[in-house]
């Protein structure tokens, strides 16, 4: 009976749903296409009143220029080093803490996690200001150590959040039975809990690595002459280096795109909270 | 107290480094910023001079306005598009996996890179103006309009509402995948039996949406709103790249005050105002819109 009842809204939704999805998908992909297109186009195709949409004059000139310029590798190294050490320190500091938080009473845990989120409400510019004043005194401006310390500010709450979720899935009984068999608490943690949590820790570390690799605000506050890769992109935007910007931006995006794609199946909504940028 | 310390000694040692780090590198700096904002730059004494100075300045009022408008418009746009996409992806159809993967692509693009791509698209000589131009040429050819390029090319970064829309669009492009995933997770947690019951009772699609989907999705929506609002108010990279001085937001304003004008006290005051806005918004949302239902 009910089938006869008219559902105009439902009919419209059913009809436009798929075309709309295709439209959104195309809109999603266009900016990436344009970016890559600019990095491999001759100036005549791009720097005109009427840029072309298809790639007419393919050239690797901008890429070879950037790769040979000697400015790419220092920035690349710096970003790579800072991101790797940030991820390493984040694991060392956050793993034990997340383990403890995950074993807390439900109510206490809720409060702890909420206060971790609370730190994310502070504007970066408000934290970066006194940090950079402090680091000038400590001579940490333009240093890798300074950047690692600053990146940890954002990454520690984030990785803790993810790791608490990982440890929560490991049953307490496993530790308990190990301890009944005579293992100490530390022993039970190191040889039972940590090995089970390793894949989760690895995923979290990769996220931290990516966030640090992309980080812009703290890097901008704490750098005067030595650029990270995102700052190098920004430097060329300001200089009006149309093609260098596109090439550097593409180089910056490649590892991110690859790792994100590989991690896609690990994306869970609870771990996304902190990932939002 | 001693008993407590002894009993939880192990836990405390494990959690101490994290706690100390957050205290020293997050809470102390935030308090320091608030203190800086209340100190007069010249005399170093407690005063409200920075706040008076800020509200007397035209570009600060503009930054304030821009920040709030970008955040509100951004929230509405992201929730609408994110929810639309989540609803479409919830349906079962062939090739769903491919669409899901493609739509998530911007997650793998750094914010600054998305800013660069938008720079090319919305440049005066950019691709969007070219699309508008070709579109209007086509309309002229068909005889539908007589004049074309009085309004083309449009300078999207010139300032005003169009630049605000540009920033909103840029942020939306970057974060829609995450909003979609958050809402999709919420949708998938609604039991299918509820929908079945609604169908048997003859509810139309619109009724199902407003009476079942939206209320049951409230926790997911609240989480999305809170997370996104914080980041929209703090927005920094995109206005820095796309809008520069034409459309300052509070974050870029605070940065320029410190770095360009060497005025840490004014920068601190601006950051404090931003902090207050974020807290006020979240509290108001939780109190009046969510009413304590979502965050549980």
């Amino acid at each position: 009976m009910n089938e006869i009842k008219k559902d105009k809204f439902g009919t419209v939704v059913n009809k436009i749903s798929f075309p709309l999805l295709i439209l959104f998908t195309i809109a999603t992909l266009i900016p990436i296409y344009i970016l890559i297109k600019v990095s491999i186009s001759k100036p005549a195709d791009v720097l005109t009143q009427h840029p072309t949409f298809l790639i007419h004059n393919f050239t690797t000139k901008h890429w070879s220029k950037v790769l040979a310029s000697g400015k790419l590798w220092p920035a690349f190294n710096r970003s790579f080093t800072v991101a790797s050490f940030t991820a390493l320190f984040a694991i060392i500091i956050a793993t034990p803490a997340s383990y403890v938080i995950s074993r807390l009473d439900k109510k206490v845990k809720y409060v702890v996690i909420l206060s971790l989120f609370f730190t994310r409400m502070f504007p970066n510019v408000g934290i970066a200001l006194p940090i950079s004043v402090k680091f000038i005194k400590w001579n940490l401006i333009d240093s890798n150590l300074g950047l690692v310390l600053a990146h940890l500010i954002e990454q520690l709450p984030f990785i803790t959040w993810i790791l608490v979720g990982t440890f929560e899935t490991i049953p307490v009984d496993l530790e308990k039975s190990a301890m009944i068999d005579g293992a100490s608490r530390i022993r039970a943690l190191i040889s039972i809990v940590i090995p089970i949590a390793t894949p989760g820790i690895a995923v979290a570390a990769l996220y931290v690595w990516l966030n640090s690799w992309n980080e812009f605000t703290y890097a901008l506050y704490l750098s005067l002459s030595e650029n990270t890769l995102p700052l190098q992109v920004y430097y060329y935007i300001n200089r009006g280096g149309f093609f260098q910007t596109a090439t550097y931006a593409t180089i910056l995006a490649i590892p991110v795109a690859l790792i994100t794609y590989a991690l896609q199946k690990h994306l869970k909504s609870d771990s996304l909270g902190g990932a939002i940028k | 107290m001693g008993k407590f310390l002894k009993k939880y000694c192990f836990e405390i040692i494990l959690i101490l480094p994290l706690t100390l780090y957050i205290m020293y590198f997050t809470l102390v700096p935030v308090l320091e910023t608030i203190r800086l904002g209340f100190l007069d730059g010249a005399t170093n004494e407690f005063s409200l001079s920075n706040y008076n100075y800020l509200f007397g300045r035209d570009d600060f009022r503009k930054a304030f306005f821009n920040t709030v408008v970008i955040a509100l418009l951004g929230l509405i746009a992201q929730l609408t598009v994110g929810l639309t996409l989540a609803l479409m992806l919830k349906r079962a159809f062939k090739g769903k996996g491919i669409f899901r993967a493609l739509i998530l692509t911007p997650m793998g693009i750094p914010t600054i890179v998305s800013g660069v791509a938008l720079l090319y698209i919305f440049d005066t000589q950019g691709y969007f103006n070219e699309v508008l131009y070709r579109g209007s040429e086509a309309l002229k050819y068909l005889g539908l309009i007589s004049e074309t390029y009085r309004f083309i090319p449009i300078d999207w970064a010139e300032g005003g509402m169009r630049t605000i829309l540009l920033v909103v669009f840029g942020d939306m492009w970057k974060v829609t995948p995450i909003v979609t995933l958050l809402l999709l997770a919420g949708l998938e947690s609604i039991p299918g039996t509820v929908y079945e019951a609604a169908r048997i009772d003859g509810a139309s699609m619109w009724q199902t949406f407003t009476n079942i989907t939206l209320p049951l999705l409230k926790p997911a929506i609240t989480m999305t709103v809170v997370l996104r609002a914080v980041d929209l108010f703090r927005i920094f990279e995109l206005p820095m790249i796309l809008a520069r001085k034409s459309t300052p937001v509070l974050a870029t304003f605070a940065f320029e005050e410190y770095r360009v004008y060497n005025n840490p006290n004014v920068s601190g005051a601006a950051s404090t105002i931003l902090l207050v806005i974020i807290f006020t918004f979240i509290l108001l949302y939780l109190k009046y819109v969510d009413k304590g239902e979502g965050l549980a």
Side-chain angles (χ1 to χ4, degrees):
Chain A
M1 275 307 187
N2 291 320
E3 306 292 313
I4 305 159
K5 205 169 147 192
K6 272 200 179 140
D7 185 5
K8 272 190 195 159
F9 177 75
T11 326
V12 172
V13 169
N14 283 332
K15 272 208 180 119
I16 63 165
S17 179
F18 196 65
L20 205 61
L21 189 61
I22 293 179
L23 200 75
F24 275 126
T25 312
I26 293 172
T28 301
L29 297 177
I30 283 177
I32 301 160
Y33 165 72
I34 296 284
L35 180 77
I36 296 169
K37 179 202 147 39
V38 170
S39 81
I40 52 174
S41 289
K42 286 213 166 116
D45 288 352
V46 178
L47 295 171
T48 104
Q49 201 67 42
H50 300 294
T52 57
F53 290 97
L54 298 175
I55 300 162
H56 288 291
N57 298 303
F58 175 80
T59 172
T60 53
K61 198 181 75 191
H62 315 302
W63 276 82
S64 46
K65 237 168 124 182
V66 163
L67 290 175
S69 71
K71 282 186 178 163
L72 172 67
W73 297 114
F76 190 96
N77 273 338
R78 192 166 160 74
S79 278
F80 191 87
T81 314
V82 169
S84 305
F85 277 103
T86 304
L88 183 69
F89 286 143
I91 292 175
I92 294 173
I93 300 175
T95 308
S98 327
Y99 163 75
V100 172
I101 297 169
S102 76
R103 296 293 184 252
L104 286 173
D105 185 61
K106 224 178 175 180
K107 265 189 190 153
V108 187
K109 182 161 65 187
Y110 183 65
V111 173
V112 174
I113 290 185
L114 213 59
S115 40
L116 280 176
F117 174 69
F118 182 72
T119 64
R120 278 185 58 81
M121 289 193 198
F122 300 133
N124 284 342
V125 286
I127 304 175
L129 166 71
I131 292 282
S132 90
V133 172
K134 201 179 283 179
F135 283 12
I136 289 172
K137 268 186 230 153
W138 293 355
N139 224 355
L140 283 177
I141 295 287
D142 266 339
S143 76
N144 287 353
L145 176 63
L147 272 181
V148 171
L149 289 175
H151 285 181
L152 282 173
I153 294 171
E154 275 220 306
Q155 298 317 316
L156 281 177
F158 166 64
I159 191 176
T160 308
W161 197 345
I162 300 185
L163 287 182
V164 168
T166 307
F167 282 118
E168 267 176 350
T169 60
I170 302 170
V172 190
D173 296 345
L174 281 180
E175 294 157 63
K176 285 210 175 123
S177 56
M179 276 154 77
I180 289 168
D181 289 346
S184 68
R185 284 195 76 179
I186 301 171
R187 184 71 205 278
L189 180 61
I190 291 175
S191 49
I192 306 283
V193 182
I194 299 285
I196 303 177
T198 303
I201 296 174
V203 170
L206 274 174
Y207 271 120
V208 170
W209 193 91
L210 284 183
N211 289 342
S212 173
W213 173 261
N214 294 340
E215 209 284 330
F216 180 71
T217 314
Y218 285 103
L220 191 60
Y221 268 87
L222 298 177
S223 306
L224 287 174
S225 56
E226 309 234 345
N227 287 343
T228 61
L229 210 46
L231 287 183
Q232 198 68 16
V233 174
Y234 183 64
Y235 168 79
Y236 280 111
I237 295 174
N238 282 337
R239 272 191 59 196
F242 216 76
F243 298 99
Q244 282 109 323
T245 311
T247 313
Y248 273 103
T250 313
I251 294 171
L252 179 69
I254 290 171
V256 190
L258 289 179
I259 298 179
T260 312
Y261 189 75
L263 288 182
Q264 243 188 50
K265 62 172 186 278
H266 296 284
L267 288 177
K268 275 177 278 163
S269 68
D270 50 338
S271 64
L272 280 168
I276 293 177
K277 288 237 148 185
Chain B
M1 194 63 197
K3 232 179 171 181
F4 177 85
L5 280 179
K6 213 169 178 188
K7 189 174 171 204
Y8 292 105
C9 173
F10 182 65
E11 278 87 352
I12 292 170
I13 289 172
L14 291 188
I15 208 170
L16 206 59
L18 178 76
T19 318
L20 290 180
Y21 202 97
I22 290 179
M23 293 272 187
Y24 190 69
F25 281 104
T26 306
L27 290 181
V28 173
V30 167
L31 295 176
E32 178 73 1
T33 299
I34 297 173
R35 196 180 70 93
L36 273 176
F38 284 106
L39 289 181
D40 189 284
T43 60
N44 235 3
E45 274 167 21
F46 178 85
S47 85
L48 290 173
S49 61
N50 299 317
Y51 291 91
N52 286 331
Y53 168 77
L54 279 178
F55 282 104
R57 265 184 64 177
D58 221 26
D59 50 348
F60 175 77
R61 289 200 301 260
K62 237 169 81 183
F64 189 100
F65 174 80
N66 291 338
T67 307
V68 174
V69 173
I70 287 173
L72 295 182
L73 279 183
L75 272 179
I76 295 169
Q78 288 164 20
L79 280 178
T80 315
V81 174
L83 187 56
T84 312
L85 280 172
L87 286 168
M88 287 191 292
L89 286 176
K90 205 198 154 206
R91 297 161 160 243
F93 58 90
K94 243 188 177 171
K96 181 169 143 175
I98 299 167
F99 278 105
R100 191 173 181 270
L102 288 178
I103 276 178
L104 296 187
T105 314
M107 287 185 74
I109 302 296
T111 313
I112 192 162
V113 175
S114 69
V116 170
L118 292 167
L119 215 53
Y120 295 133
I121 294 174
F122 291 97
D123 194 49
T124 30
Q125 297 180 11
Y127 292 87
F128 191 59
N129 276 328
E130 180 63 11
V131 169
L132 289 178
Y133 171 76
R134 290 193 189 180
S136 65
E137 281 292 287
L139 289 179
K140 198 166 81 172
Y141 181 75
L142 292 171
L144 291 172
I145 50 170
S146 52
E147 253 187 298
T148 43
Y149 30 119
R150 269 240 301 264
F151 60 95
I152 300 170
I154 297 169
D155 184 2
W156 293 95
E158 180 190 72
M161 206 56 202
R162 65 179 67 157
T163 311
I164 289 180
L165 288 178
L166 172 58
V167 173
V168 167
F169 179 81
D171 192 60
M172 186 175 92
W173 183 81
K174 169 75 185 127
V175 303
T176 297
I178 296 156
V179 174
T180 307
L181 276 186
L182 284 169
L183 294 176
L184 191 60
L187 282 177
E188 275 163 0
S189 70
I190 302 175
T193 47
V194 189
Y195 285 109
E196 225 162 89
R199 206 166 44 88
I200 290 166
D201 288 343
S204 73
M205 201 180 246
W206 179 250
Q207 285 169 331
T208 314
F209 177 69
T210 51
N211 296 325
I212 296 177
T213 309
L214 276 186
L216 289 178
L217 201 58
K218 209 167 179 182
I221 291 178
T222 293
M223 176 155 174
T224 315
V225 167
V226 170
L227 290 169
R228 286 306 313 144
V230 169
D231 285 339
L232 272 160
F233 281 114
R234 304 191 307 181
I235 194 164
F236 182 72
E237 284 150 285
L238 281 178
M240 199 78 182
I241 298 167
L242 294 173
R244 300 292 323 208
K245 290 219 173 73
S246 77
T247 311
V249 293
L250 286 175
T252 56
F253 184 92
F255 171 75
E256 302 242 327
E257 277 301 323
Y258 170 64
R259 189 41 92 61
V260 182
Y261 305 109
N262 201 8
N263 219 341
N265 299 80
V266 175
S267 177
S271 307
T272 309
I273 292 172
L274 182 54
L275 182 64
V276 172
I277 296 177
I278 294 175
F279 274 101
T280 316
F281 176 85
I282 304 287
L283 287 179
L284 287 179
Y285 183 87
L286 291 181
K287 183 147 190 245
Y288 291 105
V289 184
D290 185 70
K291 296 181 184 121
E293 291 159 31
L295 267 190

